[in-house]
Short mmCIF file of all heavy atoms in Angstrom, two decimals:
data_model
loop_
_atom_site.label_atom_id
_atom_site.label_comp_id
_atom_site.label_asym_id
_atom_site.label_seq_id
_atom_site.Cartn_x
_atom_site.Cartn_y
_atom_site.Cartn_z
N LEU Z 1 -19.19 -6.52 1.43
CA LEU Z 1 -19.63 -5.15 1.34
C LEU Z 1 -18.72 -4.33 0.41
O LEU Z 1 -19.19 -3.49 -0.33
CB LEU Z 1 -19.68 -4.53 2.73
CG LEU Z 1 -20.22 -3.11 2.81
CD1 LEU Z 1 -21.62 -3.01 2.25
CD2 LEU Z 1 -20.18 -2.62 4.24
N TRP Z 2 -17.41 -4.63 0.47
CA TRP Z 2 -16.45 -3.92 -0.39
C TRP Z 2 -16.84 -4.04 -1.85
O TRP Z 2 -16.92 -3.03 -2.56
CB TRP Z 2 -15.05 -4.49 -0.16
CG TRP Z 2 -13.99 -3.84 -0.98
CD1 TRP Z 2 -13.62 -4.17 -2.25
CD2 TRP Z 2 -13.17 -2.73 -0.61
NE1 TRP Z 2 -12.62 -3.35 -2.70
CE2 TRP Z 2 -12.32 -2.45 -1.69
CE3 TRP Z 2 -13.07 -1.95 0.53
CZ2 TRP Z 2 -11.38 -1.44 -1.68
CZ3 TRP Z 2 -12.13 -0.94 0.55
CH2 TRP Z 2 -11.29 -0.69 -0.54
N ASP Z 3 -17.08 -5.26 -2.31
CA ASP Z 3 -17.40 -5.48 -3.73
C ASP Z 3 -18.71 -4.80 -4.14
O ASP Z 3 -18.82 -4.27 -5.24
CB ASP Z 3 -17.46 -6.98 -4.04
CG ASP Z 3 -16.09 -7.63 -4.00
OD1 ASP Z 3 -15.09 -6.92 -4.21
OD2 ASP Z 3 -16.03 -8.84 -3.73
N VAL Z 4 -19.70 -4.81 -3.24
CA VAL Z 4 -20.98 -4.15 -3.54
C VAL Z 4 -20.77 -2.65 -3.72
O VAL Z 4 -21.27 -2.06 -4.68
CB VAL Z 4 -22.00 -4.43 -2.40
CG1 VAL Z 4 -23.25 -3.59 -2.60
CG2 VAL Z 4 -22.34 -5.90 -2.35
N CYS Z 5 -20.03 -2.04 -2.82
CA CYS Z 5 -19.75 -0.60 -2.93
C CYS Z 5 -18.95 -0.28 -4.18
O CYS Z 5 -19.25 0.67 -4.90
CB CYS Z 5 -19.00 -0.11 -1.69
SG CYS Z 5 -19.99 -0.13 -0.19
N LEU Z 6 -17.92 -1.08 -4.46
CA LEU Z 6 -17.09 -0.85 -5.63
C LEU Z 6 -17.91 -0.93 -6.91
O LEU Z 6 -17.84 -0.05 -7.77
CB LEU Z 6 -15.94 -1.86 -5.66
CG LEU Z 6 -14.96 -1.72 -6.82
CD1 LEU Z 6 -14.27 -0.37 -6.80
CD2 LEU Z 6 -13.94 -2.85 -6.77
N GLN Z 7 -18.73 -1.96 -7.04
CA GLN Z 7 -19.55 -2.11 -8.24
C GLN Z 7 -20.57 -0.99 -8.38
O GLN Z 7 -20.86 -0.54 -9.49
CB GLN Z 7 -20.24 -3.48 -8.25
CG GLN Z 7 -19.27 -4.64 -8.42
CD GLN Z 7 -18.32 -4.46 -9.58
OE1 GLN Z 7 -18.71 -4.09 -10.69
NE2 GLN Z 7 -17.05 -4.72 -9.34
N ASP Z 8 -21.09 -0.50 -7.26
CA ASP Z 8 -22.03 0.61 -7.31
C ASP Z 8 -21.35 1.87 -7.86
O ASP Z 8 -21.93 2.57 -8.69
CB ASP Z 8 -22.62 0.88 -5.93
CG ASP Z 8 -23.77 1.86 -5.99
OD1 ASP Z 8 -24.72 1.63 -6.77
OD2 ASP Z 8 -23.71 2.86 -5.26
N TYR Z 9 -20.13 2.14 -7.42
CA TYR Z 9 -19.40 3.30 -7.94
C TYR Z 9 -19.07 3.14 -9.42
O TYR Z 9 -19.13 4.09 -10.18
CB TYR Z 9 -18.10 3.52 -7.16
CG TYR Z 9 -18.26 4.34 -5.91
CD1 TYR Z 9 -18.01 3.80 -4.67
CD2 TYR Z 9 -18.65 5.68 -5.96
CE1 TYR Z 9 -18.14 4.55 -3.50
CE2 TYR Z 9 -18.79 6.44 -4.82
CZ TYR Z 9 -18.53 5.86 -3.59
OH TYR Z 9 -18.67 6.61 -2.46
N LEU Z 10 -18.69 1.94 -9.82
CA LEU Z 10 -18.21 1.72 -11.18
C LEU Z 10 -19.32 1.50 -12.20
O LEU Z 10 -19.06 1.53 -13.41
CB LEU Z 10 -17.25 0.53 -11.20
CG LEU Z 10 -15.99 0.67 -10.33
CD1 LEU Z 10 -15.14 -0.59 -10.44
CD2 LEU Z 10 -15.20 1.90 -10.70
N LYS Z 11 -20.56 1.33 -11.76
CA LYS Z 11 -21.65 0.98 -12.69
C LYS Z 11 -21.94 2.08 -13.72
O LYS Z 11 -22.43 1.80 -14.80
CB LYS Z 11 -22.91 0.62 -11.93
CG LYS Z 11 -23.60 1.79 -11.27
CD LYS Z 11 -24.83 1.36 -10.50
CE LYS Z 11 -25.43 2.57 -9.78
NZ LYS Z 11 -26.49 2.15 -8.90
N ASN Z 12 -21.64 3.32 -13.38
CA ASN Z 12 -21.90 4.42 -14.32
C ASN Z 12 -20.73 4.72 -15.23
O ASN Z 12 -20.75 5.68 -15.97
CB ASN Z 12 -22.30 5.69 -13.55
CG ASN Z 12 -23.63 5.52 -12.86
OD1 ASN Z 12 -24.53 4.89 -13.40
ND2 ASN Z 12 -23.75 6.06 -11.67
N GLY Z 13 -19.70 3.92 -15.14
CA GLY Z 13 -18.55 4.07 -16.02
C GLY Z 13 -17.35 4.67 -15.33
O GLY Z 13 -17.48 5.65 -14.59
N ALA Z 14 -16.22 4.05 -15.55
CA ALA Z 14 -14.97 4.52 -14.97
C ALA Z 14 -13.83 3.95 -15.79
O ALA Z 14 -13.94 2.88 -16.38
CB ALA Z 14 -14.85 4.09 -13.52
N GLN Z 15 -12.74 4.67 -15.79
CA GLN Z 15 -11.55 4.25 -16.51
C GLN Z 15 -10.43 4.02 -15.50
O GLN Z 15 -10.16 4.89 -14.67
CB GLN Z 15 -11.14 5.36 -17.49
CG GLN Z 15 -9.87 5.11 -18.23
CD GLN Z 15 -9.56 6.29 -19.16
OE1 GLN Z 15 -10.43 6.99 -19.64
NE2 GLN Z 15 -8.29 6.50 -19.38
N THR Z 16 -9.80 2.87 -15.57
CA THR Z 16 -8.69 2.59 -14.68
C THR Z 16 -7.54 3.55 -14.98
O THR Z 16 -7.23 3.80 -16.14
CB THR Z 16 -8.18 1.14 -14.87
OG1 THR Z 16 -9.26 0.25 -14.64
CG2 THR Z 16 -7.06 0.81 -13.91
N VAL Z 17 -6.98 4.13 -13.92
CA VAL Z 17 -5.83 5.03 -14.05
C VAL Z 17 -4.71 4.53 -13.14
O VAL Z 17 -4.94 3.70 -12.27
CB VAL Z 17 -6.19 6.50 -13.73
CG1 VAL Z 17 -7.18 7.05 -14.73
CG2 VAL Z 17 -6.74 6.64 -12.32
N ASP Z 18 -3.53 5.04 -13.35
CA ASP Z 18 -2.38 4.64 -12.56
C ASP Z 18 -2.59 5.03 -11.09
O ASP Z 18 -2.80 6.20 -10.77
CB ASP Z 18 -1.12 5.32 -13.10
CG ASP Z 18 0.15 4.87 -12.43
OD1 ASP Z 18 0.13 3.88 -11.66
OD2 ASP Z 18 1.18 5.51 -12.67
N ALA Z 19 -2.54 4.06 -10.21
CA ALA Z 19 -2.75 4.29 -8.77
C ALA Z 19 -1.48 4.77 -8.07
O ALA Z 19 -1.56 5.33 -6.98
CB ALA Z 19 -3.26 3.02 -8.11
N ALA Z 20 -0.33 4.57 -8.69
CA ALA Z 20 0.95 4.89 -8.04
C ALA Z 20 1.07 6.36 -7.60
O ALA Z 20 1.50 6.60 -6.48
CB ALA Z 20 2.12 4.49 -8.93
N PRO Z 21 0.72 7.33 -8.44
CA PRO Z 21 0.86 8.72 -7.99
C PRO Z 21 0.03 9.03 -6.73
O PRO Z 21 0.39 9.90 -5.95
CB PRO Z 21 0.36 9.55 -9.17
CG PRO Z 21 0.54 8.68 -10.35
CD PRO Z 21 0.30 7.28 -9.85
N TRP Z 22 -1.06 8.31 -6.54
CA TRP Z 22 -1.92 8.50 -5.37
C TRP Z 22 -1.40 7.71 -4.16
O TRP Z 22 -1.86 7.93 -3.05
CB TRP Z 22 -3.34 8.01 -5.67
CG TRP Z 22 -4.03 8.68 -6.80
CD1 TRP Z 22 -4.13 8.23 -8.09
CD2 TRP Z 22 -4.75 9.91 -6.77
NE1 TRP Z 22 -4.88 9.10 -8.84
CE2 TRP Z 22 -5.27 10.15 -8.06
CE3 TRP Z 22 -5.02 10.85 -5.76
CZ2 TRP Z 22 -6.03 11.27 -8.37
CZ3 TRP Z 22 -5.78 11.96 -6.08
CH2 TRP Z 22 -6.28 12.16 -7.37
N GLY Z 23 -0.51 6.76 -4.41
CA GLY Z 23 -0.08 5.86 -3.34
C GLY Z 23 -1.17 4.86 -2.98
O GLY Z 23 -1.19 4.30 -1.90
N ALA Z 24 -2.10 4.63 -3.91
CA ALA Z 24 -3.24 3.74 -3.68
C ALA Z 24 -2.98 2.38 -4.32
O ALA Z 24 -2.06 2.21 -5.11
CB ALA Z 24 -4.51 4.37 -4.25
N ARG Z 25 -3.83 1.42 -3.97
CA ARG Z 25 -3.75 0.08 -4.56
C ARG Z 25 -4.42 0.06 -5.92
O ARG Z 25 -3.95 -0.58 -6.85
CB ARG Z 25 -4.40 -0.94 -3.62
CG ARG Z 25 -4.30 -2.37 -4.10
CD ARG Z 25 -4.76 -3.37 -3.05
NE ARG Z 25 -6.05 -3.07 -2.47
CZ ARG Z 25 -7.22 -3.57 -2.90
NH1 ARG Z 25 -7.25 -4.39 -3.93
NH2 ARG Z 25 -8.34 -3.25 -2.30
N GLN Z 26 -5.56 0.78 -6.04
CA GLN Z 26 -6.30 0.87 -7.29
C GLN Z 26 -6.86 2.29 -7.43
O GLN Z 26 -7.14 2.94 -6.42
CB GLN Z 26 -7.47 -0.12 -7.31
CG GLN Z 26 -7.04 -1.57 -7.28
CD GLN Z 26 -8.26 -2.47 -7.16
OE1 GLN Z 26 -8.96 -2.42 -6.16
NE2 GLN Z 26 -8.51 -3.26 -8.19
N ALA Z 27 -7.05 2.72 -8.68
CA ALA Z 27 -7.62 4.04 -8.92
C ALA Z 27 -8.40 4.05 -10.23
O ALA Z 27 -7.99 3.39 -11.19
CB ALA Z 27 -6.53 5.10 -8.96
N TRP Z 28 -9.50 4.77 -10.22
CA TRP Z 28 -10.33 4.94 -11.41
C TRP Z 28 -10.68 6.40 -11.57
O TRP Z 28 -10.88 7.11 -10.58
CB TRP Z 28 -11.65 4.16 -11.29
CG TRP Z 28 -11.51 2.69 -11.31
CD1 TRP Z 28 -11.56 1.86 -12.39
CD2 TRP Z 28 -11.32 1.85 -10.17
NE1 TRP Z 28 -11.40 0.56 -12.00
CE2 TRP Z 28 -11.25 0.52 -10.63
CE3 TRP Z 28 -11.19 2.08 -8.81
CZ2 TRP Z 28 -11.07 -0.56 -9.79
CZ3 TRP Z 28 -10.99 1.00 -7.96
CH2 TRP Z 28 -10.94 -0.29 -8.45
N GLN Z 29 -10.75 6.84 -12.80
CA GLN Z 29 -11.30 8.17 -13.08
C GLN Z 29 -12.75 7.94 -13.48
O GLN Z 29 -13.05 7.16 -14.39
CB GLN Z 29 -10.54 8.88 -14.19
CG GLN Z 29 -11.06 10.29 -14.40
CD GLN Z 29 -10.15 11.14 -15.25
OE1 GLN Z 29 -9.13 10.68 -15.75
NE2 GLN Z 29 -10.52 12.39 -15.43
N MET Z 30 -13.65 8.60 -12.78
CA MET Z 30 -15.06 8.39 -12.97
C MET Z 30 -15.57 9.15 -14.19
O MET Z 30 -15.09 10.24 -14.49
CB MET Z 30 -15.84 8.83 -11.73
CG MET Z 30 -15.29 8.28 -10.43
SD MET Z 30 -15.11 6.47 -10.41
CE MET Z 30 -16.81 5.98 -10.35
N GLU Z 31 -16.54 8.58 -14.88
CA GLU Z 31 -17.15 9.21 -16.03
C GLU Z 31 -18.48 9.82 -15.58
O GLU Z 31 -19.48 9.14 -15.48
CB GLU Z 31 -17.36 8.20 -17.14
CG GLU Z 31 -16.06 7.63 -17.67
CD GLU Z 31 -16.26 6.50 -18.66
OE1 GLU Z 31 -17.41 6.20 -19.01
OE2 GLU Z 31 -15.25 5.92 -19.07
N ASN Z 32 -18.45 11.09 -15.24
CA ASN Z 32 -19.66 11.80 -14.83
C ASN Z 32 -19.52 13.26 -15.16
O ASN Z 32 -18.66 13.64 -15.95
CB ASN Z 32 -19.96 11.57 -13.34
CG ASN Z 32 -18.88 12.12 -12.43
OD1 ASN Z 32 -18.10 12.98 -12.80
ND2 ASN Z 32 -18.82 11.61 -11.22
N GLN Z 33 -20.32 14.09 -14.53
CA GLN Z 33 -20.29 15.52 -14.86
C GLN Z 33 -19.02 16.20 -14.41
O GLN Z 33 -18.72 17.30 -14.84
CB GLN Z 33 -21.53 16.23 -14.29
CG GLN Z 33 -21.52 16.41 -12.79
CD GLN Z 33 -22.16 15.27 -12.03
OE1 GLN Z 33 -22.26 14.15 -12.52
NE2 GLN Z 33 -22.61 15.54 -10.83
N TYR Z 34 -18.26 15.60 -13.52
CA TYR Z 34 -17.02 16.19 -13.05
C TYR Z 34 -15.85 15.64 -13.85
O TYR Z 34 -15.67 14.44 -13.96
CB TYR Z 34 -16.80 15.89 -11.56
CG TYR Z 34 -17.85 16.51 -10.70
CD1 TYR Z 34 -18.93 15.76 -10.26
CD2 TYR Z 34 -17.77 17.84 -10.33
CE1 TYR Z 34 -19.91 16.34 -9.46
CE2 TYR Z 34 -18.75 18.43 -9.54
CZ TYR Z 34 -19.80 17.67 -9.11
OH TYR Z 34 -20.77 18.23 -8.34
N GLU Z 35 -15.05 16.51 -14.42
CA GLU Z 35 -13.91 16.07 -15.22
C GLU Z 35 -12.87 15.39 -14.35
O GLU Z 35 -12.16 14.49 -14.79
CB GLU Z 35 -13.28 17.27 -15.93
CG GLU Z 35 -12.12 16.89 -16.82
CD GLU Z 35 -11.58 18.07 -17.58
OE1 GLU Z 35 -12.37 18.91 -18.03
OE2 GLU Z 35 -10.36 18.14 -17.71
N ALA Z 36 -12.78 15.80 -13.10
CA ALA Z 36 -11.75 15.27 -12.21
C ALA Z 36 -12.40 14.58 -11.01
O ALA Z 36 -12.31 15.03 -9.89
CB ALA Z 36 -10.82 16.39 -11.76
N ALA Z 37 -13.09 13.47 -11.27
CA ALA Z 37 -13.68 12.65 -10.21
C ALA Z 37 -12.95 11.31 -10.20
O ALA Z 37 -12.74 10.71 -11.25
CB ALA Z 37 -15.17 12.46 -10.44
N TYR Z 38 -12.57 10.88 -9.02
CA TYR Z 38 -11.75 9.67 -8.89
C TYR Z 38 -12.28 8.78 -7.78
O TYR Z 38 -12.84 9.25 -6.79
CB TYR Z 38 -10.30 10.03 -8.55
CG TYR Z 38 -9.64 10.90 -9.59
CD1 TYR Z 38 -9.70 12.28 -9.50
CD2 TYR Z 38 -8.98 10.33 -10.67
CE1 TYR Z 38 -9.12 13.08 -10.47
CE2 TYR Z 38 -8.39 11.13 -11.65
CZ TYR Z 38 -8.46 12.51 -11.53
OH TYR Z 38 -7.89 13.30 -12.49
N LEU Z 39 -12.07 7.48 -7.95
CA LEU Z 39 -12.30 6.51 -6.90
C LEU Z 39 -10.94 5.90 -6.58
O LEU Z 39 -10.28 5.36 -7.47
CB LEU Z 39 -13.28 5.43 -7.36
CG LEU Z 39 -13.58 4.36 -6.32
CD1 LEU Z 39 -14.30 4.97 -5.11
CD2 LEU Z 39 -14.41 3.24 -6.93
N LEU Z 40 -10.52 6.04 -5.34
CA LEU Z 40 -9.21 5.55 -4.91
C LEU Z 40 -9.42 4.44 -3.88
O LEU Z 40 -10.27 4.57 -2.99
CB LEU Z 40 -8.40 6.68 -4.27
CG LEU Z 40 -8.29 7.96 -5.08
CD1 LEU Z 40 -7.61 9.04 -4.26
CD2 LEU Z 40 -7.57 7.71 -6.38
N CYS Z 41 -8.66 3.36 -4.01
CA CYS Z 41 -8.79 2.24 -3.08
C CYS Z 41 -7.44 1.85 -2.50
O CYS Z 41 -6.46 1.72 -3.23
CB CYS Z 41 -9.39 1.03 -3.78
SG CYS Z 41 -11.07 1.29 -4.36
N TRP Z 42 -7.44 1.68 -1.20
CA TRP Z 42 -6.32 1.09 -0.47
C TRP Z 42 -6.82 -0.25 0.05
O TRP Z 42 -7.95 -0.64 -0.25
CB TRP Z 42 -5.89 2.01 0.67
CG TRP Z 42 -5.21 3.26 0.19
CD1 TRP Z 42 -3.87 3.44 0.03
CD2 TRP Z 42 -5.81 4.50 -0.19
NE1 TRP Z 42 -3.60 4.72 -0.44
CE2 TRP Z 42 -4.79 5.39 -0.57
CE3 TRP Z 42 -7.12 4.96 -0.25
CZ2 TRP Z 42 -5.02 6.68 -1.00
CZ3 TRP Z 42 -7.36 6.25 -0.67
CH2 TRP Z 42 -6.31 7.09 -1.04
N ASP Z 43 -6.05 -0.95 0.85
CA ASP Z 43 -6.48 -2.27 1.32
C ASP Z 43 -7.78 -2.22 2.12
O ASP Z 43 -8.60 -3.13 2.01
CB ASP Z 43 -5.38 -2.92 2.16
CG ASP Z 43 -4.19 -3.34 1.30
OD1 ASP Z 43 -4.37 -3.58 0.08
OD2 ASP Z 43 -3.08 -3.42 1.83
N ASP Z 44 -7.98 -1.19 2.92
CA ASP Z 44 -9.18 -1.13 3.75
C ASP Z 44 -9.90 0.22 3.70
O ASP Z 44 -10.64 0.57 4.60
CB ASP Z 44 -8.85 -1.48 5.20
CG ASP Z 44 -7.83 -0.53 5.81
OD1 ASP Z 44 -7.28 0.30 5.09
OD2 ASP Z 44 -7.60 -0.63 7.02
N ARG Z 45 -9.68 0.96 2.62
CA ARG Z 45 -10.34 2.27 2.50
C ARG Z 45 -10.66 2.53 1.03
O ARG Z 45 -9.85 2.30 0.14
CB ARG Z 45 -9.45 3.37 3.04
CG ARG Z 45 -10.10 4.75 2.94
CD ARG Z 45 -9.33 5.80 3.68
NE ARG Z 45 -9.41 5.50 5.11
CZ ARG Z 45 -8.74 6.15 6.04
NH1 ARG Z 45 -7.92 7.12 5.69
NH2 ARG Z 45 -8.88 5.84 7.30
N MET Z 46 -11.86 3.06 0.81
CA MET Z 46 -12.31 3.46 -0.52
C MET Z 46 -12.71 4.94 -0.42
O MET Z 46 -13.48 5.30 0.46
CB MET Z 46 -13.51 2.60 -0.91
CG MET Z 46 -14.03 2.82 -2.30
SD MET Z 46 -15.47 1.74 -2.66
CE MET Z 46 -14.75 0.12 -2.52
N VAL Z 47 -12.19 5.77 -1.32
CA VAL Z 47 -12.47 7.20 -1.28
C VAL Z 47 -12.95 7.67 -2.65
O VAL Z 47 -12.28 7.42 -3.66
CB VAL Z 47 -11.20 8.01 -0.89
CG1 VAL Z 47 -11.47 9.50 -0.95
CG2 VAL Z 47 -10.70 7.59 0.49
N TYR Z 48 -14.10 8.34 -2.67
CA TYR Z 48 -14.59 8.99 -3.87
C TYR Z 48 -14.25 10.46 -3.75
O TYR Z 48 -14.55 11.09 -2.73
CB TYR Z 48 -16.11 8.81 -4.01
CG TYR Z 48 -16.67 9.50 -5.21
CD1 TYR Z 48 -16.55 8.93 -6.48
CD2 TYR Z 48 -17.31 10.72 -5.09
CE1 TYR Z 48 -17.05 9.58 -7.60
CE2 TYR Z 48 -17.82 11.37 -6.20
CZ TYR Z 48 -17.69 10.80 -7.45
OH TYR Z 48 -18.19 11.44 -8.56
N LEU Z 49 -13.61 11.00 -4.77
CA LEU Z 49 -13.06 12.35 -4.70
C LEU Z 49 -13.46 13.14 -5.94
O LEU Z 49 -13.26 12.68 -7.06
CB LEU Z 49 -11.54 12.23 -4.61
CG LEU Z 49 -10.69 13.46 -4.51
CD1 LEU Z 49 -10.96 14.18 -3.19
CD2 LEU Z 49 -9.22 13.07 -4.58
N GLU Z 50 -14.02 14.33 -5.75
CA GLU Z 50 -14.35 15.23 -6.85
C GLU Z 50 -13.52 16.49 -6.70
O GLU Z 50 -13.54 17.13 -5.64
CB GLU Z 50 -15.84 15.60 -6.83
CG GLU Z 50 -16.73 14.44 -7.15
CD GLU Z 50 -18.20 14.79 -7.07
OE1 GLU Z 50 -18.55 15.93 -6.68
OE2 GLU Z 50 -19.01 13.93 -7.40
N LEU Z 51 -12.79 16.84 -7.74
CA LEU Z 51 -11.95 18.02 -7.74
C LEU Z 51 -12.39 18.96 -8.85
O LEU Z 51 -13.01 18.53 -9.83
CB LEU Z 51 -10.48 17.61 -7.95
CG LEU Z 51 -9.92 16.60 -6.95
CD1 LEU Z 51 -8.58 16.07 -7.43
CD2 LEU Z 51 -9.81 17.24 -5.59
N GLU Z 52 -12.05 20.22 -8.73
CA GLU Z 52 -12.43 21.19 -9.75
C GLU Z 52 -11.61 21.05 -11.03
O GLU Z 52 -12.06 21.42 -12.10
CB GLU Z 52 -12.29 22.61 -9.20
CG GLU Z 52 -13.31 22.91 -8.13
CD GLU Z 52 -13.24 24.34 -7.63
OE1 GLU Z 52 -12.56 25.18 -8.28
OE2 GLU Z 52 -13.86 24.62 -6.60
N GLU Z 53 -10.39 20.53 -10.90
CA GLU Z 53 -9.55 20.30 -12.08
C GLU Z 53 -8.66 19.10 -11.81
O GLU Z 53 -8.47 18.70 -10.67
CB GLU Z 53 -8.72 21.54 -12.40
CG GLU Z 53 -7.82 21.99 -11.29
CD GLU Z 53 -7.13 23.30 -11.60
OE1 GLU Z 53 -7.80 24.26 -12.02
OE2 GLU Z 53 -5.90 23.35 -11.42
N ALA Z 54 -8.12 18.55 -12.88
CA ALA Z 54 -7.25 17.38 -12.75
C ALA Z 54 -5.99 17.75 -11.98
O ALA Z 54 -5.35 18.76 -12.28
CB ALA Z 54 -6.89 16.84 -14.13
N PRO Z 55 -5.63 16.95 -10.98
CA PRO Z 55 -4.45 17.25 -10.18
C PRO Z 55 -3.16 16.81 -10.86
O PRO Z 55 -3.16 15.88 -11.67
CB PRO Z 55 -4.68 16.44 -8.90
CG PRO Z 55 -5.48 15.27 -9.36
CD PRO Z 55 -6.36 15.80 -10.46
N SER Z 56 -2.07 17.48 -10.52
CA SER Z 56 -0.75 17.06 -10.99
C SER Z 56 -0.34 15.82 -10.19
O SER Z 56 -0.95 15.49 -9.17
CB SER Z 56 0.27 18.17 -10.78
OG SER Z 56 0.47 18.37 -9.38
N ASP Z 57 0.73 15.15 -10.61
CA ASP Z 57 1.21 13.99 -9.85
C ASP Z 57 1.65 14.40 -8.44
O ASP Z 57 1.43 13.65 -7.49
CB ASP Z 57 2.36 13.30 -10.59
CG ASP Z 57 1.86 12.44 -11.75
OD1 ASP Z 57 0.64 12.22 -11.85
OD2 ASP Z 57 2.70 11.99 -12.54
N ALA Z 58 2.23 15.59 -8.30
CA ALA Z 58 2.64 16.06 -6.97
C ALA Z 58 1.41 16.27 -6.08
O ALA Z 58 1.43 15.92 -4.90
CB ALA Z 58 3.44 17.35 -7.09
N GLN Z 59 0.34 16.81 -6.65
CA GLN Z 59 -0.89 17.00 -5.88
C GLN Z 59 -1.52 15.66 -5.53
O GLN Z 59 -2.06 15.49 -4.44
CB GLN Z 59 -1.87 17.87 -6.67
CG GLN Z 59 -1.42 19.32 -6.79
CD GLN Z 59 -2.26 20.10 -7.79
OE1 GLN Z 59 -2.64 19.59 -8.84
NE2 GLN Z 59 -2.53 21.36 -7.44
N LYS Z 60 -1.47 14.71 -6.47
CA LYS Z 60 -2.00 13.37 -6.17
C LYS Z 60 -1.26 12.74 -5.00
O LYS Z 60 -1.88 12.11 -4.14
CB LYS Z 60 -1.86 12.48 -7.42
CG LYS Z 60 -2.80 12.85 -8.54
CD LYS Z 60 -2.54 11.98 -9.75
CE LYS Z 60 -3.39 12.40 -10.93
NZ LYS Z 60 -3.11 11.58 -12.13
N ALA Z 61 0.04 12.91 -4.96
CA ALA Z 61 0.83 12.34 -3.86
C ALA Z 61 0.42 12.95 -2.51
O ALA Z 61 0.28 12.23 -1.51
CB ALA Z 61 2.32 12.56 -4.11
N ILE Z 62 0.20 14.24 -2.49
CA ILE Z 62 -0.23 14.90 -1.25
C ILE Z 62 -1.62 14.43 -0.84
O ILE Z 62 -1.85 14.10 0.33
CB ILE Z 62 -0.20 16.44 -1.42
CG1 ILE Z 62 1.24 16.92 -1.57
CG2 ILE Z 62 -0.88 17.13 -0.23
CD1 ILE Z 62 1.37 18.37 -2.03
N ILE Z 63 -2.53 14.38 -1.80
CA ILE Z 63 -3.89 13.91 -1.52
C ILE Z 63 -3.84 12.49 -1.00
O ILE Z 63 -4.49 12.15 0.00
CB ILE Z 63 -4.77 14.03 -2.77
CG1 ILE Z 63 -5.01 15.49 -3.14
CG2 ILE Z 63 -6.10 13.29 -2.58
CD1 ILE Z 63 -5.60 15.71 -4.52
N GLY Z 64 -3.11 11.62 -1.68
CA GLY Z 64 -2.99 10.23 -1.27
C GLY Z 64 -2.42 10.08 0.13
O GLY Z 64 -2.90 9.26 0.92
N GLU Z 65 -1.43 10.87 0.45
CA GLU Z 65 -0.82 10.81 1.78
C GLU Z 65 -1.84 11.19 2.87
O GLU Z 65 -1.88 10.58 3.93
CB GLU Z 65 0.40 11.75 1.85
CG GLU Z 65 1.13 11.74 3.15
CD GLU Z 65 1.74 10.40 3.50
OE1 GLU Z 65 2.15 9.64 2.59
OE2 GLU Z 65 1.83 10.09 4.71
N LYS Z 66 -2.66 12.19 2.59
CA LYS Z 66 -3.66 12.64 3.56
C LYS Z 66 -4.82 11.66 3.71
O LYS Z 66 -5.41 11.58 4.79
CB LYS Z 66 -4.22 14.02 3.17
CG LYS Z 66 -3.18 15.11 3.09
CD LYS Z 66 -2.60 15.43 4.43
CE LYS Z 66 -1.63 16.59 4.32
NZ LYS Z 66 -0.96 16.86 5.58
N LEU Z 67 -5.15 10.94 2.65
CA LEU Z 67 -6.32 10.07 2.67
C LEU Z 67 -6.03 8.61 3.00
O LEU Z 67 -6.95 7.89 3.40
CB LEU Z 67 -7.04 10.13 1.32
CG LEU Z 67 -7.66 11.47 0.95
CD1 LEU Z 67 -8.24 11.41 -0.45
CD2 LEU Z 67 -8.72 11.86 1.96
N LYS Z 68 -4.80 8.17 2.83
CA LYS Z 68 -4.52 6.75 3.04
C LYS Z 68 -4.72 6.36 4.51
O LYS Z 68 -4.58 7.20 5.40
CB LYS Z 68 -3.12 6.39 2.58
CG LYS Z 68 -2.02 6.87 3.47
CD LYS Z 68 -0.67 6.42 2.92
CE LYS Z 68 0.43 6.88 3.87
NZ LYS Z 68 1.72 6.46 3.39
N PRO Z 69 -5.06 5.12 4.74
CA PRO Z 69 -5.27 4.65 6.12
C PRO Z 69 -4.00 4.68 6.94
O PRO Z 69 -2.92 4.67 6.45
CB PRO Z 69 -5.79 3.24 5.97
CG PRO Z 69 -5.72 2.89 4.53
CD PRO Z 69 -5.31 4.10 3.77
#
């Protein structure tokens, strides 16, 4: 199920970004109408996130801490 969901999110285009600031295992910036849309993956959690603007590394760390399993 994980791979099916991941491929569904990535089918419209995404760029791999550094996952470390998020504290995630993997991260992608999505290519869609939102400039700051991300897909974040940990070992057992996948989160799609749309923000109004690109977050700073400090904001990514806070977001990652709140969302991680």
Side-chain angles (χ1 to χ4, degrees):
L1 184 58
W2 180 274
D3 290 335
V4 172
C5 291
L6 181 61
Q7 292 310 314
D8 190 53
Y9 274 116
L10 300 179
K11 72 182 177 188
N12 293 323
Q15 176 181 331
T16 303
V17 295
D18 186 11
W22 301 98
R25 183 171 50 94
Q26 295 174 296
W28 292 269
Q29 185 167 2
M30 310 306 289
E31 296 173 4
N32 63 21
Q33 72 270 23
Y34 296 98
E35 182 176 321
Y38 300 91
L39 180 64
L40 309 173
C41 296
W42 290 267
D43 290 335
D44 60 352
R45 181 170 292 173
M46 184 180 298
V47 176
Y48 178 79
L49 181 66
E50 292 177 355
L51 303 168
E52 291 183 13
E53 59 186 49
S56 67
D57 283 349
Q59 290 169 321
K60 290 176 184 178
I62 293 168
I63 292 167
E65 182 63 32
K66 300 293 184 185
L67 294 176
K68 74 178 182 179

